[in-house]
Amino acid sequence: MTVTHAPEDQAHRRGSKGFRRINLGLFAAGLATFMVLYCVQPLLPLFAKDFRLTPAESSLAISIATGMLALAIVPLSMLSERWGRMPVMTASLFATALLQIAVAFSPNFTVMLALRALQGLAVAGLPAVAMAYLAEEVHRGSLGFAVGLYIGGNSIGGMAGRVITGLVTDLGGWRWALGAVGVTSLACALLFRAVMPSSSNFNQKPIGMRSLGRCFRDSGLVRLYLIGMLLMGSFVTIYNYLGFRLTAAPFGLSQAIVGLISVAYLAGTVSSPVAGRLVDRYSRRQVLWGTALVSLAGLGLMLFDNIVLVVLGLLLLTAGFFAGHTVASGWVSARAAHPAQAAAAYQLCYYLGSSVGGSVGGLAFSGGGWAEVTVFTAALTLGMLALGLSLRKLAPAARNLVRTPVTV
């Protein structure tokens, strides 16, 4: 996908009515999309109980959606070059919401997985296209602020989905919880359609894979993609199986409390801009190593059967993940000669890490409980650290100032 910037005389600037409409629309879109994607995460123990599944099998409700998202991101980004940004984003949001309502009525786990796979395809339309729309429609001087609000909708959506399902499940069961998320997502889709300005600067382009292929010929970029994959695999594994641990002895927490613990996600809201400032002061390599050490410290604290230490460890792990993801994704943008295609390749690997790592982590949990999960996620984090260390001798490559959004 080729990202071009809006002509200055046609671009929406900060403070204008169009700029406010874009920000509101994309905030609602990010909220809806990532709320749906991760809302089933705190419900995995209930799926395992109701459908008589192992933890690894129940985790497929997450893994199949993120796996299909990974596979669809690149094709949808290319199709938007022919179909336009707004049609792809609008179709994505409405399909995602309607499928979410259908998920709430799933008669069995097999049907649920089929619907979640379709949701993964639908969800991919937003992260595949949103950055290109912003670059085309928003003035360069206002682009950073617009991207920040879009990212905020993504992160808050990921947290809100977990919190809503936790609270509503205790009141009416998990089907009501998933239905509530679907209705909320549909309302966000309607808001998006009502306020979002149509594209003014979109130019139809031919579809091609050549520039994407170049993004895999740079060994530095490939290592950064692998770092994103390992980061997401570790992060999703912890959030997938923490609910199993906290609802069992010795904690015995309710589903609502487990959902509320997802507020730890806000640690990433703090750590991401801090990581950006540290990169400006030191270097990407040094900050990346530091994020791995913070995550490892968090994993160590979460081994204790003390809820205060577990929550503190989760805060550290979440802060380390978001900071590391911010550094790695920003490094991809700075290094790539074709930043939009490189961003798509990074997201492909990133969501594959969620899909594969999250399910393999379930095998570790079934085999040795939380201690085995800790070993597995620590190994992924150490692998990411080793890749980060290998970047010390990375040869310079083309640099580009286009920033890509950080999504979870």
Short mmCIF file of all heavy atoms in Angstrom, two decimals, residues 266-333:
data_model
loop_
_atom_site.label_atom_id
_atom_site.label_comp_id
_atom_site.label_asym_id
_atom_site.label_seq_id
_atom_site.Cartn_x
_atom_site.Cartn_y
_atom_site.Cartn_z
N LEU A 266 -3.81 -0.02 30.93
CA LEU A 266 -3.49 1.40 30.93
C LEU A 266 -2.01 1.66 31.20
O LEU A 266 -1.51 2.75 30.91
CB LEU A 266 -4.34 2.13 31.98
CG LEU A 266 -5.85 2.18 31.68
CD1 LEU A 266 -6.61 2.84 32.82
CD2 LEU A 266 -6.13 2.90 30.37
N ALA A 267 -1.31 0.66 31.76
CA ALA A 267 0.14 0.82 31.94
C ALA A 267 0.81 1.05 30.60
O ALA A 267 1.81 1.78 30.50
CB ALA A 267 0.72 -0.41 32.62
N GLY A 268 0.26 0.44 29.55
CA GLY A 268 0.82 0.64 28.22
C GLY A 268 0.58 2.03 27.69
O GLY A 268 1.37 2.56 26.90
N THR A 269 -0.54 2.65 28.11
CA THR A 269 -0.82 4.03 27.70
C THR A 269 0.26 4.97 28.20
O THR A 269 0.59 5.97 27.57
CB THR A 269 -2.19 4.47 28.23
OG1 THR A 269 -3.18 3.51 27.82
CG2 THR A 269 -2.58 5.84 27.72
N VAL A 270 0.83 4.64 29.37
CA VAL A 270 1.90 5.46 29.96
C VAL A 270 3.25 5.09 29.35
O VAL A 270 4.04 5.96 28.98
CB VAL A 270 1.94 5.28 31.49
CG1 VAL A 270 3.12 6.04 32.08
CG2 VAL A 270 0.63 5.74 32.12
N SER A 271 3.51 3.79 29.21
CA SER A 271 4.85 3.35 28.81
C SER A 271 5.17 3.64 27.34
O SER A 271 6.33 3.86 27.00
CB SER A 271 5.03 1.86 29.09
OG SER A 271 4.22 1.07 28.23
N SER A 272 4.14 3.66 26.47
CA SER A 272 4.41 3.89 25.05
C SER A 272 5.04 5.26 24.78
O SER A 272 6.11 5.33 24.14
CB SER A 272 3.12 3.73 24.24
OG SER A 272 2.70 2.39 24.27
N PRO A 273 4.43 6.38 25.26
CA PRO A 273 5.09 7.67 25.01
C PRO A 273 6.41 7.82 25.75
O PRO A 273 7.32 8.48 25.27
CB PRO A 273 4.06 8.70 25.51
CG PRO A 273 3.15 7.95 26.41
CD PRO A 273 3.11 6.55 25.88
N VAL A 274 6.52 7.18 26.94
CA VAL A 274 7.80 7.22 27.67
C VAL A 274 8.88 6.55 26.84
O VAL A 274 10.01 7.06 26.73
CB VAL A 274 7.66 6.54 29.05
CG1 VAL A 274 9.03 6.34 29.69
CG2 VAL A 274 6.76 7.38 29.96
N ALA A 275 8.55 5.40 26.24
CA ALA A 275 9.53 4.70 25.39
C ALA A 275 9.94 5.58 24.22
O ALA A 275 11.13 5.62 23.85
CB ALA A 275 8.93 3.39 24.89
N GLY A 276 8.97 6.29 23.64
CA GLY A 276 9.31 7.19 22.53
C GLY A 276 10.28 8.28 22.93
O GLY A 276 11.23 8.59 22.20
N ARG A 277 10.07 8.86 24.11
CA ARG A 277 10.98 9.90 24.58
C ARG A 277 12.36 9.34 24.89
O ARG A 277 13.38 9.98 24.63
CB ARG A 277 10.39 10.59 25.83
CG ARG A 277 9.19 11.48 25.52
CD ARG A 277 8.88 12.41 26.67
NE ARG A 277 8.41 11.68 27.84
CZ ARG A 277 7.13 11.40 28.07
NH1 ARG A 277 6.19 11.76 27.22
NH2 ARG A 277 6.78 10.76 29.17
N LEU A 278 12.40 8.12 25.45
CA LEU A 278 13.70 7.50 25.75
C LEU A 278 14.47 7.18 24.48
O LEU A 278 15.71 7.28 24.45
CB LEU A 278 13.49 6.23 26.58
CG LEU A 278 13.02 6.44 28.03
CD1 LEU A 278 12.73 5.11 28.69
CD2 LEU A 278 14.08 7.21 28.83
N VAL A 279 13.75 6.81 23.42
CA VAL A 279 14.42 6.54 22.14
C VAL A 279 15.10 7.81 21.64
O VAL A 279 16.23 7.77 21.13
CB VAL A 279 13.39 6.02 21.11
CG1 VAL A 279 13.95 6.12 19.70
CG2 VAL A 279 13.02 4.58 21.42
N ASP A 280 14.41 8.95 21.79
CA ASP A 280 15.00 10.21 21.35
C ASP A 280 16.27 10.55 22.14
O ASP A 280 17.20 11.15 21.62
CB ASP A 280 13.98 11.35 21.52
CG ASP A 280 12.82 11.22 20.55
OD1 ASP A 280 13.00 10.57 19.51
OD2 ASP A 280 11.74 11.76 20.84
N ARG A 281 16.28 10.13 23.41
CA ARG A 281 17.41 10.47 24.28
C ARG A 281 18.56 9.48 24.18
O ARG A 281 19.73 9.86 24.22
CB ARG A 281 16.93 10.56 25.73
CG ARG A 281 18.01 10.99 26.71
CD ARG A 281 17.43 11.22 28.09
NE ARG A 281 18.45 11.63 29.04
CZ ARG A 281 18.23 11.91 30.33
NH1 ARG A 281 17.00 11.83 30.81
NH2 ARG A 281 19.22 12.26 31.12
N TYR A 282 18.23 8.21 24.07
CA TYR A 282 19.27 7.16 24.02
C TYR A 282 19.29 6.54 22.62
O TYR A 282 19.73 7.15 21.68
CB TYR A 282 19.00 6.12 25.11
CG TYR A 282 19.04 6.69 26.51
CD1 TYR A 282 17.86 6.98 27.19
CD2 TYR A 282 20.25 6.99 27.13
CE1 TYR A 282 17.88 7.53 28.48
CE2 TYR A 282 20.30 7.55 28.41
CZ TYR A 282 19.10 7.82 29.07
OH TYR A 282 19.13 8.37 30.32
N SER A 283 18.83 5.30 22.50
CA SER A 283 18.78 4.65 21.18
C SER A 283 17.69 3.59 21.22
O SER A 283 17.28 3.14 22.29
CB SER A 283 20.12 4.00 20.82
OG SER A 283 20.34 2.85 21.63
N ARG A 284 17.22 3.18 20.04
CA ARG A 284 16.20 2.14 19.97
C ARG A 284 16.69 0.84 20.58
O ARG A 284 15.94 0.14 21.27
CB ARG A 284 15.77 1.92 18.52
CG ARG A 284 15.02 3.09 17.91
CD ARG A 284 14.48 2.72 16.54
NE ARG A 284 13.72 3.82 15.95
CZ ARG A 284 14.24 4.75 15.16
NH1 ARG A 284 15.53 4.70 14.85
NH2 ARG A 284 13.48 5.72 14.66
N ARG A 285 17.95 0.50 20.30
CA ARG A 285 18.48 -0.76 20.82
C ARG A 285 18.45 -0.78 22.34
O ARG A 285 18.01 -1.75 22.96
CB ARG A 285 19.92 -0.97 20.31
CG ARG A 285 20.01 -1.37 18.86
CD ARG A 285 21.44 -1.70 18.48
NE ARG A 285 22.27 -0.50 18.49
CZ ARG A 285 22.42 0.32 17.47
NH1 ARG A 285 21.78 0.08 16.33
NH2 ARG A 285 23.21 1.37 17.53
N GLN A 286 18.95 0.28 22.97
CA GLN A 286 19.01 0.32 24.43
C GLN A 286 17.62 0.25 25.05
O GLN A 286 17.40 -0.46 26.03
CB GLN A 286 19.73 1.59 24.88
CG GLN A 286 21.23 1.59 24.57
CD GLN A 286 21.85 2.94 24.87
OE1 GLN A 286 21.45 3.97 24.35
NE2 GLN A 286 22.87 2.95 25.72
N VAL A 287 16.68 0.99 24.48
CA VAL A 287 15.33 0.99 25.03
C VAL A 287 14.67 -0.36 24.83
O VAL A 287 13.98 -0.87 25.73
CB VAL A 287 14.48 2.11 24.38
CG1 VAL A 287 13.04 2.07 24.91
CG2 VAL A 287 15.10 3.47 24.66
N LEU A 288 14.90 -1.00 23.69
CA LEU A 288 14.32 -2.32 23.43
C LEU A 288 14.82 -3.34 24.45
O LEU A 288 14.04 -4.15 24.97
CB LEU A 288 14.67 -2.77 22.00
CG LEU A 288 13.89 -3.95 21.44
CD1 LEU A 288 12.40 -3.64 21.36
CD2 LEU A 288 14.41 -4.34 20.07
N TRP A 289 16.12 -3.30 24.75
CA TRP A 289 16.65 -4.22 25.76
C TRP A 289 15.99 -3.95 27.12
O TRP A 289 15.65 -4.87 27.85
CB TRP A 289 18.17 -4.06 25.90
CG TRP A 289 18.92 -4.22 24.61
CD1 TRP A 289 18.50 -4.87 23.48
CD2 TRP A 289 20.22 -3.72 24.31
NE1 TRP A 289 19.47 -4.78 22.49
CE2 TRP A 289 20.54 -4.09 22.97
CE3 TRP A 289 21.18 -3.00 25.03
CZ2 TRP A 289 21.75 -3.77 22.36
CZ3 TRP A 289 22.39 -2.67 24.42
CH2 TRP A 289 22.65 -3.05 23.10
N GLY A 290 15.83 -2.68 27.45
CA GLY A 290 15.22 -2.33 28.73
C GLY A 290 13.79 -2.84 28.85
O GLY A 290 13.38 -3.30 29.92
N THR A 291 13.03 -2.78 27.75
CA THR A 291 11.65 -3.26 27.82
C THR A 291 11.60 -4.76 28.09
O THR A 291 10.70 -5.25 28.80
CB THR A 291 10.90 -2.95 26.51
OG1 THR A 291 11.46 -3.69 25.43
CG2 THR A 291 10.94 -1.46 26.21
N ALA A 292 12.55 -5.51 27.54
CA ALA A 292 12.60 -6.95 27.79
C ALA A 292 12.88 -7.24 29.27
O ALA A 292 12.26 -8.13 29.87
CB ALA A 292 13.67 -7.60 26.91
N LEU A 293 13.77 -6.48 29.87
CA LEU A 293 14.10 -6.68 31.29
C LEU A 293 12.90 -6.34 32.18
O LEU A 293 12.64 -7.03 33.18
CB LEU A 293 15.31 -5.83 31.67
CG LEU A 293 16.61 -6.19 30.94
CD1 LEU A 293 17.73 -5.23 31.35
CD2 LEU A 293 17.01 -7.64 31.25
N VAL A 294 12.16 -5.28 31.83
CA VAL A 294 10.96 -4.93 32.59
C VAL A 294 9.94 -6.06 32.51
O VAL A 294 9.32 -6.44 33.52
CB VAL A 294 10.36 -3.60 32.07
CG1 VAL A 294 8.98 -3.35 32.68
CG2 VAL A 294 11.29 -2.44 32.39
N SER A 295 9.75 -6.62 31.33
CA SER A 295 8.79 -7.71 31.16
C SER A 295 9.21 -8.94 31.96
O SER A 295 8.37 -9.61 32.58
CB SER A 295 8.66 -8.08 29.68
OG SER A 295 8.09 -7.02 28.94
N LEU A 296 10.49 -9.25 31.96
CA LEU A 296 10.97 -10.40 32.72
C LEU A 296 10.76 -10.21 34.22
O LEU A 296 10.40 -11.15 34.93
CB LEU A 296 12.45 -10.65 32.42
CG LEU A 296 12.77 -11.20 31.02
CD1 LEU A 296 14.26 -11.17 30.75
CD2 LEU A 296 12.23 -12.63 30.87
N ALA A 297 10.97 -8.99 34.70
CA ALA A 297 10.70 -8.69 36.10
C ALA A 297 9.23 -8.90 36.44
O ALA A 297 8.88 -9.46 37.49
CB ALA A 297 11.12 -7.25 36.43
N GLY A 298 8.35 -8.48 35.52
CA GLY A 298 6.93 -8.69 35.73
C GLY A 298 6.56 -10.16 35.78
O GLY A 298 5.77 -10.60 36.64
N LEU A 299 7.15 -10.97 34.89
CA LEU A 299 6.89 -12.41 34.90
C LEU A 299 7.32 -13.03 36.22
O LEU A 299 6.63 -13.91 36.77
CB LEU A 299 7.64 -13.07 33.75
CG LEU A 299 7.09 -12.85 32.35
CD1 LEU A 299 8.04 -13.42 31.30
CD2 LEU A 299 5.71 -13.48 32.20
N GLY A 300 8.45 -12.59 36.76
CA GLY A 300 8.93 -13.11 38.05
C GLY A 300 7.96 -12.81 39.18
O GLY A 300 7.65 -13.70 40.01
N LEU A 301 7.44 -11.60 39.25
CA LEU A 301 6.50 -11.24 40.31
C LEU A 301 5.20 -12.02 40.21
O LEU A 301 4.57 -12.35 41.22
CB LEU A 301 6.20 -9.74 40.24
CG LEU A 301 7.32 -8.79 40.69
CD1 LEU A 301 6.91 -7.34 40.45
CD2 LEU A 301 7.66 -9.01 42.17
N MET A 302 4.78 -12.35 38.99
CA MET A 302 3.52 -13.05 38.81
C MET A 302 3.57 -14.52 39.22
O MET A 302 2.54 -15.19 39.28
CB MET A 302 3.07 -12.94 37.35
CG MET A 302 2.70 -11.52 36.94
SD MET A 302 2.16 -11.39 35.22
CE MET A 302 0.54 -12.13 35.34
N LEU A 303 4.75 -15.01 39.54
CA LEU A 303 4.87 -16.39 40.03
C LEU A 303 4.34 -16.55 41.44
O LEU A 303 3.95 -17.66 41.85
CB LEU A 303 6.34 -16.83 39.99
CG LEU A 303 6.89 -17.30 38.64
CD1 LEU A 303 8.39 -17.45 38.71
CD2 LEU A 303 6.23 -18.60 38.22
N PHE A 304 4.28 -15.47 42.22
CA PHE A 304 3.87 -15.56 43.62
C PHE A 304 2.35 -15.68 43.74
O PHE A 304 1.60 -15.12 42.93
CB PHE A 304 4.36 -14.33 44.40
CG PHE A 304 5.85 -14.25 44.53
CD1 PHE A 304 6.60 -13.53 43.60
CD2 PHE A 304 6.50 -14.91 45.56
CE1 PHE A 304 7.98 -13.46 43.72
CE2 PHE A 304 7.88 -14.84 45.68
CZ PHE A 304 8.62 -14.12 44.76
N ASP A 305 1.91 -16.40 44.77
CA ASP A 305 0.48 -16.55 45.04
C ASP A 305 -0.02 -15.41 45.92
O ASP A 305 -0.64 -15.61 46.97
CB ASP A 305 0.19 -17.90 45.71
CG ASP A 305 0.40 -19.06 44.76
OD1 ASP A 305 0.26 -18.87 43.55
OD2 ASP A 305 0.71 -20.17 45.25
N ASN A 306 0.26 -14.20 45.48
CA ASN A 306 -0.14 -12.99 46.19
C ASN A 306 -0.73 -12.04 45.16
O ASN A 306 -0.05 -11.64 44.21
CB ASN A 306 1.07 -12.38 46.90
CG ASN A 306 0.73 -11.11 47.65
OD1 ASN A 306 0.29 -10.14 47.06
ND2 ASN A 306 0.95 -11.13 48.97
N ILE A 307 -2.01 -11.68 45.32
CA ILE A 307 -2.70 -10.92 44.29
C ILE A 307 -2.05 -9.56 44.06
O ILE A 307 -2.03 -9.06 42.93
CB ILE A 307 -4.20 -10.76 44.64
CG1 ILE A 307 -4.97 -10.18 43.44
CG2 ILE A 307 -4.38 -9.93 45.88
CD1 ILE A 307 -4.92 -11.00 42.20
N VAL A 308 -1.50 -8.95 45.11
CA VAL A 308 -0.84 -7.65 44.94
C VAL A 308 0.38 -7.78 44.05
O VAL A 308 0.59 -6.98 43.14
CB VAL A 308 -0.45 -7.06 46.32
CG1 VAL A 308 0.35 -5.77 46.14
CG2 VAL A 308 -1.70 -6.78 47.15
N LEU A 309 1.19 -8.82 44.29
CA LEU A 309 2.38 -9.04 43.47
C LEU A 309 2.01 -9.44 42.04
O LEU A 309 2.68 -9.03 41.08
CB LEU A 309 3.27 -10.11 44.10
CG LEU A 309 3.92 -9.74 45.44
CD1 LEU A 309 4.74 -10.91 45.98
CD2 LEU A 309 4.81 -8.50 45.27
N VAL A 310 0.93 -10.21 41.90
CA VAL A 310 0.49 -10.61 40.56
C VAL A 310 0.07 -9.38 39.76
O VAL A 310 0.45 -9.22 38.59
CB VAL A 310 -0.68 -11.62 40.65
CG1 VAL A 310 -1.31 -11.82 39.27
CG2 VAL A 310 -0.18 -12.95 41.18
N VAL A 311 -0.70 -8.49 40.38
CA VAL A 311 -1.15 -7.29 39.67
C VAL A 311 0.04 -6.38 39.35
O VAL A 311 0.13 -5.83 38.24
CB VAL A 311 -2.21 -6.53 40.51
CG1 VAL A 311 -2.50 -5.16 39.90
CG2 VAL A 311 -3.48 -7.36 40.60
N LEU A 312 0.96 -6.24 40.30
CA LEU A 312 2.15 -5.43 40.04
C LEU A 312 2.97 -6.02 38.89
O LEU A 312 3.45 -5.30 38.00
CB LEU A 312 3.01 -5.34 41.31
CG LEU A 312 4.32 -4.54 41.19
CD1 LEU A 312 4.04 -3.10 40.77
CD2 LEU A 312 5.08 -4.57 42.52
N GLY A 313 3.11 -7.35 38.89
CA GLY A 313 3.82 -8.01 37.80
C GLY A 313 3.13 -7.82 36.47
O GLY A 313 3.78 -7.60 35.44
N LEU A 314 1.78 -7.87 36.47
CA LEU A 314 1.03 -7.66 35.25
C LEU A 314 1.21 -6.24 34.72
O LEU A 314 1.32 -6.02 33.51
CB LEU A 314 -0.46 -7.94 35.50
CG LEU A 314 -1.37 -7.92 34.26
CD1 LEU A 314 -0.97 -9.01 33.27
CD2 LEU A 314 -2.83 -8.09 34.69
N LEU A 315 1.26 -5.27 35.63
CA LEU A 315 1.50 -3.89 35.23
C LEU A 315 2.87 -3.74 34.55
O LEU A 315 2.99 -3.09 33.52
CB LEU A 315 1.41 -2.96 36.44
CG LEU A 315 0.01 -2.71 37.00
CD1 LEU A 315 0.11 -2.01 38.36
CD2 LEU A 315 -0.83 -1.87 36.05
N LEU A 316 3.88 -4.36 35.15
CA LEU A 316 5.23 -4.28 34.57
C LEU A 316 5.28 -4.98 33.21
O LEU A 316 5.87 -4.47 32.25
CB LEU A 316 6.24 -4.91 35.52
CG LEU A 316 6.59 -4.11 36.78
CD1 LEU A 316 7.51 -4.93 37.67
CD2 LEU A 316 7.26 -2.79 36.41
N LEU A 317 4.68 -6.17 33.15
CA LEU A 317 4.68 -6.92 31.89
C LEU A 317 3.98 -6.12 30.79
O LEU A 317 4.47 -6.03 29.66
CB LEU A 317 3.96 -8.26 32.08
CG LEU A 317 3.82 -9.08 30.80
CD1 LEU A 317 5.07 -9.91 30.57
CD2 LEU A 317 2.60 -9.98 30.85
N THR A 318 2.83 -5.53 31.12
CA THR A 318 2.07 -4.76 30.13
C THR A 318 2.84 -3.52 29.68
O THR A 318 2.88 -3.20 28.49
CB THR A 318 0.70 -4.36 30.72
OG1 THR A 318 0.01 -5.53 31.16
CG2 THR A 318 -0.14 -3.62 29.70
N ALA A 319 3.44 -2.84 30.65
CA ALA A 319 4.24 -1.65 30.31
C ALA A 319 5.41 -2.04 29.41
O ALA A 319 5.71 -1.36 28.42
CB ALA A 319 4.75 -0.99 31.58
N GLY A 320 6.07 -3.15 29.73
CA GLY A 320 7.20 -3.61 28.92
C GLY A 320 6.78 -4.00 27.52
O GLY A 320 7.46 -3.68 26.54
N PHE A 321 5.62 -4.67 27.41
CA PHE A 321 5.14 -5.07 26.09
C PHE A 321 4.84 -3.85 25.22
O PHE A 321 5.30 -3.77 24.07
CB PHE A 321 3.88 -5.93 26.21
CG PHE A 321 3.11 -6.02 24.93
CD1 PHE A 321 3.56 -6.83 23.90
CD2 PHE A 321 1.96 -5.28 24.74
CE1 PHE A 321 2.88 -6.89 22.69
CE2 PHE A 321 1.26 -5.34 23.54
CZ PHE A 321 1.72 -6.15 22.52
N PHE A 322 4.04 -2.92 25.73
CA PHE A 322 3.66 -1.78 24.92
C PHE A 322 4.88 -0.93 24.54
O PHE A 322 4.97 -0.43 23.41
CB PHE A 322 2.64 -0.91 25.66
CG PHE A 322 1.22 -1.34 25.45
CD1 PHE A 322 0.59 -2.16 26.35
CD2 PHE A 322 0.52 -0.92 24.34
CE1 PHE A 322 -0.72 -2.56 26.16
CE2 PHE A 322 -0.80 -1.30 24.12
CZ PHE A 322 -1.42 -2.13 25.04
N ALA A 323 5.80 -0.78 25.47
CA ALA A 323 7.00 -0.01 25.17
C ALA A 323 7.82 -0.71 24.09
O ALA A 323 8.30 -0.08 23.13
CB ALA A 323 7.83 0.19 26.43
N GLY A 324 8.00 -2.03 24.22
CA GLY A 324 8.77 -2.78 23.23
C GLY A 324 8.10 -2.75 21.86
O GLY A 324 8.77 -2.59 20.83
N HIS A 325 6.79 -2.88 21.85
CA HIS A 325 6.04 -2.84 20.59
C HIS A 325 6.15 -1.46 19.94
O HIS A 325 6.29 -1.35 18.71
CB HIS A 325 4.59 -3.19 20.89
CG HIS A 325 3.70 -3.21 19.69
ND1 HIS A 325 4.09 -3.64 18.45
CD2 HIS A 325 2.40 -2.84 19.55
CE1 HIS A 325 3.08 -3.54 17.60
NE2 HIS A 325 2.05 -3.04 18.25
N THR A 326 6.11 -0.43 20.75
CA THR A 326 6.25 0.93 20.23
C THR A 326 7.61 1.13 19.57
O THR A 326 7.72 1.69 18.48
CB THR A 326 6.07 1.96 21.37
OG1 THR A 326 4.75 1.84 21.90
CG2 THR A 326 6.28 3.38 20.87
N VAL A 327 8.67 0.65 20.24
CA VAL A 327 10.02 0.80 19.70
C VAL A 327 10.17 0.00 18.41
O VAL A 327 10.67 0.51 17.40
CB VAL A 327 11.07 0.35 20.73
CG1 VAL A 327 12.48 0.38 20.11
CG2 VAL A 327 11.03 1.23 21.97
N ALA A 328 9.72 -1.26 18.42
CA ALA A 328 9.90 -2.12 17.25
C ALA A 328 9.12 -1.61 16.04
O ALA A 328 9.65 -1.54 14.93
CB ALA A 328 9.48 -3.55 17.59
N SER A 329 7.86 -1.24 16.24
CA SER A 329 7.04 -0.79 15.11
C SER A 329 7.55 0.56 14.57
O SER A 329 7.55 0.79 13.36
CB SER A 329 5.58 -0.67 15.52
OG SER A 329 5.40 0.24 16.58
N GLY A 330 7.99 1.44 15.47
CA GLY A 330 8.56 2.70 15.03
C GLY A 330 9.86 2.50 14.27
O GLY A 330 10.17 3.22 13.31
N TRP A 331 10.65 1.52 14.69
CA TRP A 331 11.92 1.21 14.03
C TRP A 331 11.66 0.70 12.61
O TRP A 331 12.39 1.02 11.67
CB TRP A 331 12.67 0.16 14.84
CG TRP A 331 14.14 0.10 14.61
CD1 TRP A 331 14.84 0.58 13.55
CD2 TRP A 331 15.12 -0.49 15.49
NE1 TRP A 331 16.18 0.33 13.69
CE2 TRP A 331 16.38 -0.32 14.89
CE3 TRP A 331 15.03 -1.14 16.72
CZ2 TRP A 331 17.55 -0.79 15.47
CZ3 TRP A 331 16.19 -1.61 17.30
CH2 TRP A 331 17.44 -1.42 16.69
N VAL A 332 10.60 -0.12 12.45
CA VAL A 332 10.23 -0.60 11.12
C VAL A 332 9.94 0.58 10.20
O VAL A 332 10.42 0.65 9.06
CB VAL A 332 9.01 -1.53 11.21
CG1 VAL A 332 8.41 -1.78 9.82
CG2 VAL A 332 9.39 -2.86 11.85
N SER A 333 9.15 1.55 10.70
CA SER A 333 8.80 2.71 9.88
C SER A 333 10.02 3.52 9.50
O SER A 333 10.13 4.02 8.38
CB SER A 333 7.82 3.60 10.65
OG SER A 333 6.61 2.93 10.89
#
